[in-house]
Amino acid sequence: MQRRTILQLGAVAALARPATAQGTWPDRPIRWIVPFPPGGSTDLWARLIGEPMAAELGQPIVIDNRGGAGGLIGTEAAARATPDGYTMLFTITTHVTSPVVLRRFPCDPVADFAPIGKLGVTPLVLCASPSTQGNTLAEFVAWARGRDLSFGSYAPGSSGHAYGQMFSDEARLNMTHVAYRGEGPMLQDMLAGNVACAFHSMAASGGAIRSGRIRPIGLSGTRPLPSLPSVPLMEAAGFSRRFAFAGFIGLLAPVRVPQPILDRSAALFRKVMENPDTQRRLLEIDTIPAWLGPAEFREDIARSLREWETIATDLNLSAQG
């Protein structure tokens, strides 16, 4: 289901601010496609950045949630949008992971987009549902071994999908993959105890973790989270280096958007990212700010694609797996 939300402008004065790039751009609301349903981490990040950017631009930013197909439905819509600066894509690592695993490339994740800016990265936390036992990674594995269980992911072909499969394989567990159309629906099923575990972002699941409704037992990436000092990195707990794969969060536009619009968008994205209040809010939801400009972000996307192709081949990941 689509859902569109208009982010309120931060100040009335911003409404009267003249546009200076590509004639009168923007002279009407701008649409940011988020390729996942409301309530997940991607949706939260888009709103966090979209609100101050709307104030700077003097026009509302409409969040257009288009979930499905591991993010490819929204991604394809953005790629095919009129390249006039009024449709952009706020996305995450599934931008490169989903097409590889689904073996479906409706558009080129690198060539068909003009990067605006990278927001940063976030580790994924392995969480156990209320229907399971074990307060530590070792205790959970001991309880789970020999049982027929399932693990969730927010999209087939996502890093959460790969991490779950790697965890099941390396811990010698019998777990079936259940894919969702976004992190929000997956979290609700986790809270209901319908899946045993899943890798979550703290942006979407932090509240449930802090309230004790789901239990954090492991952490992807290469650096611990200050908010979860007792939760070990998967590698430190004896799992492979593959759990260190790092992706991205960021804003892109269709490739043929006029350069003055791209330049202004990138400059405003950087201004918002350098604001101490933005960085504080990101850290509060355990998102690590790591801004990259357009050229560097393009290289980062291409690197992630290359690394993911290797991981997907090694795991034999599939849309049904």
Side-chain angles (χ1 to χ4, degrees):
M1 177 184 297
Q2 290 188 40
R3 170 174 157 176
R4 299 185 180 185
T5 303
I6 299 178
L7 300 180
Q8 299 297 320
L9 298 183
V12 175
L15 291 168
R17 185 180 293 119
T20 58
Q22 195 63 22
T24 59
W25 185 88
D27 61 2
R28 63 181 189 272
I30 298 166
R31 178 176 61 143
W32 282 10
I33 293 177
V34 172
F36 296 101
S41 55
T42 314
D43 183 66
L44 295 176
W45 289 315
R47 294 170 192 278
L48 190 152
I49 299 299
E51 183 177 350
M53 281 195 67
E56 290 286 343
L57 289 167
Q59 289 289 341
I61 290 176
V62 179
I63 300 298
D64 186 357
N65 296 97
R66 293 201 180 192
L72 292 187
I73 290 176
T75 300
E76 185 175 9
R80 294 184 176 183
T82 302
D84 55 7
Y86 290 96
T87 299
M88 296 186 180
L89 176 70
F90 194 98
T91 192
I92 57 173
T93 316
T94 49
H95 184 70
V96 297
T97 60
S98 289
V100 170
V101 172
L102 293 171
R103 295 172 177 83
R104 175 187 162 203
F105 282 81
C107 52
D108 189 307
V110 179
D112 288 341
F113 292 90
I116 301 298
K118 177 178 176 178
L119 178 148
V121 296
T122 185
L124 295 182
V125 183
L126 175 59
C127 295
S129 82
S131 62
T132 67
Q133 298 178 20
N135 291 319
T136 67
L137 189 56
E139 290 174 355
F140 177 86
V141 169
W143 173 85
R145 193 163 288 158
R147 300 174 185 267
D148 291 327
L149 302 172
S150 59
F151 72 90
S153 80
Y154 46 83
S158 65
S159 51
H161 177 183
Y163 290 148
Q165 189 62 58
M166 291 189 297
F167 173 57
S168 180
D169 292 347
E170 294 182 21
R172 303 189 306 280
L173 303 179
N174 183 27
M175 291 202 295
T176 301
H177 174 226
V178 180
Y180 293 86
R181 295 182 61 183
E183 196 168 10
M186 179 179 74
L187 178 59
Q188 292 306 310
D189 240 17
M190 275 279 295
L191 293 171
N194 294 329
V195 290
C197 63
F199 279 87
H200 285 273
S201 73
M202 285 293 288
S205 65
I209 289 174
R210 286 187 288 272
S211 66
R213 290 179 291 166
I214 55 178
R215 306 185 311 282
I217 56 176
L219 191 65
S220 72
T222 59
R223 52 187 289 182
L225 280 177
S227 65
L228 298 174
S230 63
V231 177
L233 293 169
M234 297 296 291
E235 185 182 4
F239 290 84
S240 72
R241 281 283 299 169
R242 296 183 296 178
F243 285 93
F245 173 77
F248 55 84
I249 307 158
L251 181 66
L252 304 94
V255 71
R256 294 178 301 282
V257 168
Q259 193 61 46
I261 293 177
L262 296 176
D263 290 344
R264 185 177 183 210
S265 299
L268 290 180
F269 190 97
R270 179 175 184 173
K271 180 178 180 180
V272 169
M273 282 300 303
E274 290 179 342
N275 187 301
D277 184 61
T278 300
Q279 298 201 14
R280 175 187 58 78
R281 293 175 68 190
L282 288 171
L283 290 171
E284 285 176 351
I285 55 174
D286 292 290
T287 302
I288 303 167
W291 177 86
L292 288 178
E296 296 83 3
F297 189 19
R298 178 180 295 278
E299 293 175 2
D300 197 53
I301 293 170
R303 171 198 59 79
S304 295
L305 178 59
R306 291 192 302 270
E307 291 183 1
W308 186 256
E309 287 173 333
T310 299
I311 289 174
T313 299
D314 289 346
L315 292 174
N316 193 27
L317 286 180
S318 71
Q320 293 77 34

